[in-house]
Amino acid sequence: MTRLNWGMIGGGDGSQIGPVHRISATMDGFFTLRAGALDADPEKGRAFAQQIGIAPDRAYGDWREMLAGERNRPDRVDLVTVATPNATHYEITRAFLEAGIHVLCEKPMTVTVAEAEDIAATSARTGAICAVNYGYTGYPLVRHMRAMVARGELGRIRLCVVEFSHGFHADAADAENPRMRWRYDPAQAGLSGQFADCGIHALNMASFVTGENARELSADFLSAIASRKLEDDAMVNIRMDGGTRVRLWTSSVAVGSFHGLNIRVFGEQGGLRWAQQWPDQLHWTPLNGRTQVIERGAADSADAARATRIATGHSEGMLVAFANIYADLAEAIHARREGRAPDPAACHYPTAVDGLRSIAAIRAAVDSAAQGGDWVDARPPSLRP
């Protein structure tokens, strides 16, 4: 498979997510980092880009300069990753899609439903892929859970319980730290804080595994640190379009929880349990049977097999999960170029429509919380009957 040219916007020196993308995107040799506008400070961005091997003429000061420099190059970037603050996602993503350049956008894809509708429509109109980085769906055993549900091994799904909790923003004395302050600032984060930051990972995972989407929801938001304008804790009940009920809790003030992304799925014929902190084991309990542990590398689905890199008993983690999203995108891009259907096991990357559904759910949760937990339609306007 020919290497594809890759560019990055944001994710510069000191970024939490930037190194994860750079390692994961290049792990399999599918992409080479060729261009970047990596920092809000143009000179810092240019210097850091050159430091990590980007040629000086492709080390850009900002995303507009990058778009102007790349769009007409014969060797232009094939894919751009957008890893900037939430409020900038829409303008950057739309501009690159209009240029026919594929985009992987960090979540949330936009901050308003109207923007998300436009991104989904722009991707469909231009034919440029817009993926959204719900990277945890790249874990092999998460993909195996999806396969087990789709094969009917759990029977009808009754209930899905998901959470994404941590305690790293629990210290009120640290509330002005720039690395966390922006997450609770409506001007940079949008309508929602913790639910938009982590809760939609949990919601997307529930949708990914069950194959169902949010129809309506009821939410309760809490700003445990009173100075925050946006919530740092949320409890959301969701009715899915296939009948499954989802119970979702997300928090950034859960002291003692380090990265609590967990999912439990309960069906008529059995239940599944997986935790991101222990990603290589999936617990499966058949109805009236004993709990079994399915090890990564021993799961009997093509989806899990394609996403597994090393032998059973050796740990894989977040870098490989993200790398699986990039591997899916590489296959999708090559398939389009070659006029063929992509490998079915590579068709699980989250799309602009998934991003749109998430933004609609955020809007609904904000409205529901403001109305004291009233049930609110969680579907995007374009996807309602």
Coordinates of all heavy atoms in Angstrom, one line a residue, residues 103-167:
V103 N -10.5 14.6 6.0 CA -10.3 15.2 7.3 C -10.6 14.2 8.4 O -11.6 13.5 8.3 CB -11.1 16.4 7.5 CG1 -11.0 17.0 9.0 CG2 -10.8 17.5 6.5
L104 N -9.7 14.1 9.4 CA -10.0 13.4 10.7 C -10.1 14.5 11.7 O -9.1 15.2 12.0 CB -9.0 12.4 11.1 CG -9.1 11.8 12.5 CD1 -10.4 11.1 12.6 CD2 -7.9 10.9 12.8
C105 N -11.3 14.8 12.2 CA -11.5 15.9 13.1 C -11.6 15.4 14.6 O -12.3 14.4 14.8 CB -12.8 16.7 12.8 SG -13.1 18.1 13.8
E106 N -10.9 16.0 15.5 CA -11.1 15.7 16.9 C -12.5 16.0 17.3 O -13.2 16.8 16.7 CB -10.1 16.4 17.8 CG -8.8 15.7 18.1 CD -9.1 14.4 18.9 OE1 -10.1 14.3 19.6 OE2 -8.3 13.5 18.7
K107 N -13.0 15.2 18.3 CA -14.4 15.5 18.8 C -14.4 16.6 19.8 O -13.3 16.9 20.3 CB -15.0 14.2 19.3 CG -14.1 13.6 20.5 CD -14.3 14.3 21.8 CE -13.1 14.2 22.6 NZ -13.1 15.1 23.7
P108 N -15.5 17.3 19.9 CA -16.7 17.2 19.1 C -16.5 17.9 17.8 O -15.7 18.8 17.7 CB -17.7 18.0 19.9 CG -16.9 19.0 20.7 CD -15.6 18.3 21.0
M109 N -17.1 17.4 16.8 CA -16.9 17.8 15.4 C -17.1 19.3 15.2 O -16.4 20.0 14.5 CB -17.7 17.0 14.4 CG -17.5 17.3 13.0 SD -18.4 16.1 11.9 CE -20.1 16.8 12.1
T110 N -18.1 19.8 15.8 CA -18.5 21.2 15.8 C -19.0 21.6 17.2 O -19.1 20.8 18.1 CB -19.5 21.6 14.7 OG1 -20.7 20.9 15.0 CG2 -19.0 21.1 13.3
V111 N -19.5 22.9 17.3 CA -20.1 23.3 18.6 C -21.6 23.5 18.4 O -22.3 23.7 19.4 CB -19.5 24.5 19.2 CG1 -18.0 24.1 19.6 CG2 -19.5 25.7 18.3
T112 N -22.2 23.5 17.2 CA -23.6 23.7 17.0 C -24.1 22.6 16.0 O -23.4 22.1 15.2 CB -23.9 25.1 16.4 OG1 -23.5 25.1 15.0 CG2 -23.3 26.2 17.1
V113 N -25.4 22.4 16.1 CA -26.0 21.4 15.2 C -26.0 21.9 13.8 O -25.7 21.1 12.9 CB -27.5 21.1 15.7 CG1 -28.2 20.1 14.7 CG2 -27.5 20.5 17.1
A114 N -26.3 23.1 13.6 CA -26.3 23.7 12.2 C -24.9 23.5 11.5 O -24.8 23.1 10.4 CB -26.6 25.2 12.2
E115 N -23.8 23.7 12.3 CA -22.5 23.5 11.7 C -22.3 22.0 11.4 O -21.7 21.7 10.4 CB -21.4 24.0 12.8 CG -21.3 25.5 13.0 CD -20.4 25.9 14.1 OE1 -20.0 25.0 14.8 OE2 -20.1 27.1 14.2
A116 N -22.7 21.2 12.3 CA -22.5 19.7 12.1 C -23.3 19.2 10.9 O -22.8 18.4 10.1 CB -23.0 18.9 13.3
E117 N -24.5 19.7 10.7 CA -25.3 19.4 9.5 C -24.6 19.8 8.3 O -24.5 19.1 7.3 CB -26.7 20.1 9.6 CG -27.6 19.6 10.7 CD -28.5 18.4 10.3 OE1 -28.1 17.7 9.3 OE2 -29.5 18.2 11.0
D118 N -24.0 21.0 8.3 CA -23.2 21.5 7.1 C -22.0 20.7 6.8 O -21.7 20.4 5.7 CB -22.9 23.0 7.4 CG -22.3 23.6 6.1 OD1 -22.9 23.4 5.0 OD2 -21.3 24.3 6.2
I119 N -21.3 20.3 7.9 CA -20.1 19.4 7.6 C -20.5 18.1 7.0 O -19.9 17.6 6.1 CB -19.4 19.2 9.0 CG1 -18.7 20.5 9.4 CG2 -18.3 18.1 8.8 CD1 -17.6 21.0 8.5
A120 N -21.6 17.5 7.5 CA -22.0 16.2 7.0 C -22.4 16.4 5.5 O -22.1 15.5 4.6 CB -23.2 15.6 7.8
A121 N -23.1 17.5 5.2 CA -23.6 17.7 3.8 C -22.4 18.0 3.0 O -22.3 17.6 1.8 CB -24.6 18.9 3.8
T122 N -21.4 18.8 3.5 CA -20.2 19.1 2.7 C -19.4 17.9 2.3 O -18.9 17.7 1.2 CB -19.3 20.1 3.4 OG1 -20.1 21.3 3.7 CG2 -18.1 20.5 2.6
S123 N -19.3 17.0 3.3 CA -18.5 15.7 3.1 C -19.2 14.9 2.0 O -18.6 14.4 1.1 CB -18.4 14.9 4.4 OG -17.8 13.7 4.1
A124 N -20.6 14.8 2.1 CA -21.3 14.1 1.1 C -21.2 14.7 -0.3 O -21.1 14.0 -1.3 CB -22.8 14.0 1.5
R125 N -21.3 16.0 -0.4 CA -21.3 16.7 -1.7 C -19.9 16.7 -2.3 O -19.8 16.5 -3.5 CB -21.7 18.2 -1.4 CG -21.6 19.1 -2.7 CD -22.2 20.5 -2.4 NE -21.7 21.1 -1.2 CZ -20.5 21.7 -1.2 NH1 -19.7 21.8 -2.2 NH2 -20.2 22.3 0.0
T126 N -18.8 16.9 -1.6 CA -17.5 16.9 -2.1 C -16.9 15.5 -2.3 O -15.9 15.4 -3.1 CB -16.5 17.7 -1.2 OG1 -16.4 17.1 0.0 CG2 -17.0 19.1 -1.1
G127 N -17.4 14.5 -1.6 CA -16.8 13.2 -1.7 C -15.6 13.0 -0.8 O -14.9 12.0 -0.8
A128 N -15.2 14.1 -0.1 CA -14.1 14.0 0.8 C -14.5 13.4 2.1 O -15.6 13.8 2.7 CB -13.5 15.4 1.1
I129 N -13.8 12.5 2.6 CA -14.1 11.8 3.9 C -14.0 12.8 5.0 O -13.0 13.5 5.1 CB -13.2 10.6 4.1 CG1 -13.5 9.5 3.1 CG2 -13.4 10.0 5.6 CD1 -12.4 8.4 3.1
C130 N -15.0 12.8 5.9 CA -14.8 13.5 7.2 C -15.0 12.4 8.3 O -16.2 11.9 8.4 CB -15.8 14.7 7.4 SG -15.6 15.5 9.0
A131 N -14.0 12.1 9.0 CA -14.1 11.2 10.1 C -13.9 12.0 11.4 O -13.4 13.1 11.4 CB -13.0 10.1 10.0
V132 N -14.4 11.4 12.5 CA -14.4 12.0 13.8 C -13.6 11.1 14.7 O -13.9 9.9 14.7 CB -15.8 12.4 14.3 CG1 -15.7 13.1 15.6 CG2 -16.5 13.2 13.3
N133 N -12.7 11.6 15.5 CA -11.8 10.8 16.3 C -12.5 10.2 17.6 O -12.1 10.6 18.7 CB -10.5 11.5 16.6 CG -9.5 10.5 17.2 OD1 -9.4 9.4 16.7 ND2 -8.8 10.9 18.2
Y134 N -13.4 9.4 17.4 CA -13.8 8.5 18.5 C -12.9 7.3 18.6 O -13.3 6.2 18.2 CB -15.3 8.1 18.4 CG -16.2 9.3 18.5 CD1 -17.0 9.8 17.4 CD2 -16.3 10.0 19.7 CE1 -17.8 10.9 17.5 CE2 -17.2 11.1 19.8 CZ -17.9 11.5 18.7 OH -18.7 12.6 18.8
G135 N -11.7 7.6 19.0 CA -10.6 6.6 18.8 C -10.7 5.4 19.6 O -10.1 4.3 19.3
Y136 N -11.5 5.4 20.7 CA -11.7 4.2 21.6 C -12.4 3.1 20.9 O -12.3 1.9 21.3 CB -12.3 4.6 22.9 CG -11.6 5.7 23.6 CD1 -12.1 7.0 23.7 CD2 -10.3 5.4 24.2 CE1 -11.4 8.0 24.4 CE2 -9.6 6.4 24.8 CZ -10.2 7.7 24.9 OH -9.5 8.7 25.6
T137 N -13.1 3.4 19.8 CA -13.8 2.4 19.0 C -12.8 1.6 18.2 O -13.2 0.6 17.6 CB -14.8 3.0 18.1 OG1 -14.2 3.8 17.1 CG2 -15.9 3.7 18.8
G138 N -11.5 2.0 18.2 CA -10.5 1.2 17.6 C -9.9 0.0 18.3 O -9.2 -0.8 17.8
Y139 N -10.3 -0.1 19.6 CA -9.9 -1.2 20.4 C -10.4 -2.6 19.8 O -11.6 -2.6 19.5 CB -10.3 -1.1 21.9 CG -9.4 -0.2 22.7 CD1 -9.8 1.1 23.0 CD2 -8.2 -0.7 23.2 CE1 -9.0 1.9 23.7 CE2 -7.4 0.2 23.9 CZ -7.8 1.4 24.2 OH -6.9 2.3 25.0
P140 N -9.6 -3.6 19.7 CA -10.1 -4.9 19.1 C -11.3 -5.4 19.8 O -12.2 -5.9 19.2 CB -8.8 -5.8 19.3 CG -7.7 -4.9 19.2 CD -8.1 -3.6 19.9
L141 N -11.3 -5.4 21.2 CA -12.4 -6.1 21.9 C -13.6 -5.2 21.9 O -14.7 -5.8 22.0 CB -12.0 -6.4 23.3 CG -10.9 -7.6 23.3 CD1 -10.5 -7.9 24.8 CD2 -11.5 -8.9 22.7
V142 N -13.5 -3.9 21.7 CA -14.7 -3.1 21.4 C -15.4 -3.5 20.1 O -16.6 -3.7 20.0 CB -14.4 -1.6 21.5 CG1 -15.6 -0.8 21.1 CG2 -14.0 -1.2 22.9
R143 N -14.5 -3.7 19.1 CA -15.0 -4.2 17.8 C -15.6 -5.6 17.9 O -16.6 -5.9 17.2 CB -13.9 -4.0 16.8 CG -13.5 -2.6 16.5 CD -12.6 -2.3 15.4 NE -12.5 -0.9 15.2 CZ -11.9 -0.4 14.1 NH1 -11.4 -1.1 13.1 NH2 -11.9 0.9 13.9
H144 N -15.0 -6.4 18.8 CA -15.6 -7.7 18.9 C -16.9 -7.7 19.6 O -17.8 -8.5 19.3 CB -14.6 -8.6 19.7 CG -15.0 -10.0 19.8 ND1 -15.2 -10.8 18.7 CD2 -15.4 -10.8 20.9 CE1 -15.6 -12.0 19.1 NE2 -15.7 -12.1 20.4
M145 N -17.1 -6.8 20.6 CA -18.4 -6.6 21.2 C -19.4 -6.3 20.2 O -20.5 -6.9 20.2 CB -18.3 -5.5 22.3 CG -17.5 -5.8 23.5 SD -17.5 -4.3 24.6 CE -19.1 -4.4 25.4
R146 N -19.1 -5.4 19.3 CA -20.0 -5.0 18.2 C -20.4 -6.2 17.4 O -21.6 -6.4 17.0 CB -19.4 -3.9 17.3 CG -20.2 -3.5 16.1 CD -19.3 -2.6 15.2 NE -19.9 -2.2 14.0 CZ -20.5 -1.0 13.8 NH1 -20.5 -0.1 14.7 NH2 -21.1 -0.7 12.6
A147 N -19.4 -7.0 17.0 CA -19.6 -8.2 16.2 C -20.5 -9.2 16.9 O -21.4 -9.8 16.3 CB -18.3 -8.9 15.8
M148 N -20.3 -9.4 18.2 CA -21.1 -10.3 19.0 C -22.6 -9.9 19.0 O -23.5 -10.7 18.9 CB -20.6 -10.5 20.4 CG -19.3 -11.2 20.5 SD -18.7 -11.4 22.2 CE -19.9 -12.6 22.9
V149 N -22.8 -8.6 19.2 CA -24.2 -8.0 19.2 C -24.8 -8.2 17.9 O -25.9 -8.7 17.8 CB -24.2 -6.5 19.7 CG1 -25.5 -5.9 19.4 CG2 -23.7 -6.4 21.1
A150 N -24.0 -7.9 16.8 CA -24.6 -8.0 15.5 C -24.9 -9.4 15.1 O -25.8 -9.7 14.3 CB -23.6 -7.4 14.5
R151 N -24.1 -10.4 15.6 CA -24.4 -11.8 15.3 C -25.6 -12.4 16.1 O -25.9 -13.5 16.0 CB -23.1 -12.6 15.6 CG -22.0 -12.3 14.7 CD -20.8 -13.3 14.8 NE -20.3 -13.5 16.1 CZ -19.0 -13.6 16.4 NH1 -18.1 -13.6 15.4 NH2 -18.6 -13.8 17.6
G152 N -26.1 -11.6 17.1 CA -27.2 -12.0 17.8 C -26.9 -12.8 19.1 O -27.8 -13.4 19.7
E153 N -25.6 -12.9 19.5 CA -25.2 -13.7 20.6 C -25.8 -13.3 21.9 O -26.0 -14.1 22.8 CB -23.7 -13.8 20.7 CG -23.1 -14.5 19.5 CD -21.6 -14.6 19.5 OE1 -21.1 -14.9 20.6 OE2 -20.9 -14.4 18.5
L154 N -26.2 -12.0 22.0 CA -26.8 -11.5 23.3 C -28.3 -11.5 23.2 O -28.9 -11.1 24.2 CB -26.3 -10.1 23.6 CG -24.9 -10.0 24.3 CD1 -23.8 -10.3 23.3 CD2 -24.7 -8.6 24.9
G155 N -28.8 -11.8 22.0 CA -30.3 -11.6 21.8 C -30.6 -10.2 21.8 O -29.7 -9.3 21.5
R156 N -31.9 -9.8 22.0 CA -32.2 -8.4 22.0 C -31.5 -7.7 23.1 O -31.5 -8.1 24.3 CB -33.8 -8.3 22.2 CG -34.3 -6.9 22.1 CD -35.8 -6.8 22.2 NE -36.2 -7.2 23.5 CZ -36.2 -6.4 24.6 NH1 -35.9 -5.2 24.5 NH2 -36.7 -6.9 25.8
I157 N -31.0 -6.5 22.8 CA -30.3 -5.7 23.8 C -31.3 -5.0 24.6 O -32.1 -4.2 24.1 CB -29.3 -4.8 23.2 CG1 -28.3 -5.6 22.3 CG2 -28.5 -4.0 24.3 CD1 -27.5 -6.7 23.0
R158 N -31.2 -5.1 25.9 CA -32.2 -4.4 26.8 C -31.6 -3.1 27.4 O -32.3 -2.1 27.5 CB -32.5 -5.4 28.0 CG -33.3 -6.6 27.6 CD -33.3 -7.6 28.8 NE -34.2 -8.7 28.6 CZ -34.2 -9.8 29.2 NH1 -33.3 -10.0 30.2 NH2 -35.1 -10.8 29.0
L159 N -30.3 -3.2 27.8 CA -29.8 -2.1 28.5 C -28.3 -2.0 28.3 O -27.6 -3.0 28.1 CB -30.0 -2.4 30.0 CG -29.5 -1.3 31.0 CD1 -30.2 0.0 30.9 CD2 -29.6 -1.9 32.5
C160 N -27.8 -0.7 28.2 CA -26.3 -0.5 28.0 C -26.0 0.6 29.1 O -26.6 1.6 29.1 CB -26.0 0.0 26.6 SG -24.3 0.4 26.3
V161 N -25.0 0.3 29.9 CA -24.5 1.2 30.9 C -23.1 1.6 30.6 O -22.2 0.8 30.5 CB -24.6 0.6 32.3 CG1 -24.1 1.5 33.4 CG2 -26.0 0.1 32.6
V162 N -22.9 2.9 30.4 CA -21.6 3.4 30.0 C -21.2 4.6 30.9 O -22.0 5.4 31.4 CB -21.5 3.9 28.5 CG1 -21.5 2.8 27.6 CG2 -22.7 4.9 28.2
E163 N -19.9 4.7 31.1 CA -19.4 5.9 31.9 C -18.0 6.3 31.4 O -17.3 5.4 30.9 CB -19.4 5.6 33.4 CG -18.4 4.5 33.8 CD -18.3 4.3 35.3 OE1 -19.4 4.0 35.9 OE2 -17.3 4.4 35.9
F164 N -17.7 7.5 31.6 CA -16.4 8.0 31.3 C -16.1 9.1 32.4 O -16.6 10.2 32.3 CB -16.3 8.7 29.9 CG -14.9 8.9 29.4 CD1 -14.7 9.1 28.0 CD2 -13.8 8.9 30.2 CE1 -13.4 9.3 27.5 CE2 -12.5 9.1 29.7 CZ -12.3 9.3 28.4
S165 N -15.4 8.6 33.4 CA -15.2 9.5 34.6 C -13.7 9.6 34.9 O -12.9 8.6 34.8 CB -15.9 8.9 35.8 OG -15.4 7.6 36.1
H166 N -13.3 10.8 35.3 CA -11.9 11.0 35.9 C -12.0 12.1 36.9 O -13.0 12.8 37.0 CB -11.0 11.3 34.7 CG -11.2 12.6 34.1 ND1 -10.7 13.8 34.6 CD2 -11.8 13.0 32.9 CE1 -11.1 14.8 33.8 NE2 -11.8 14.3 32.8
G167 N -10.9 12.2 37.7 CA -10.9 13.2 38.7 C -9.8 14.3 38.5 O -9.5 15.0 39.5

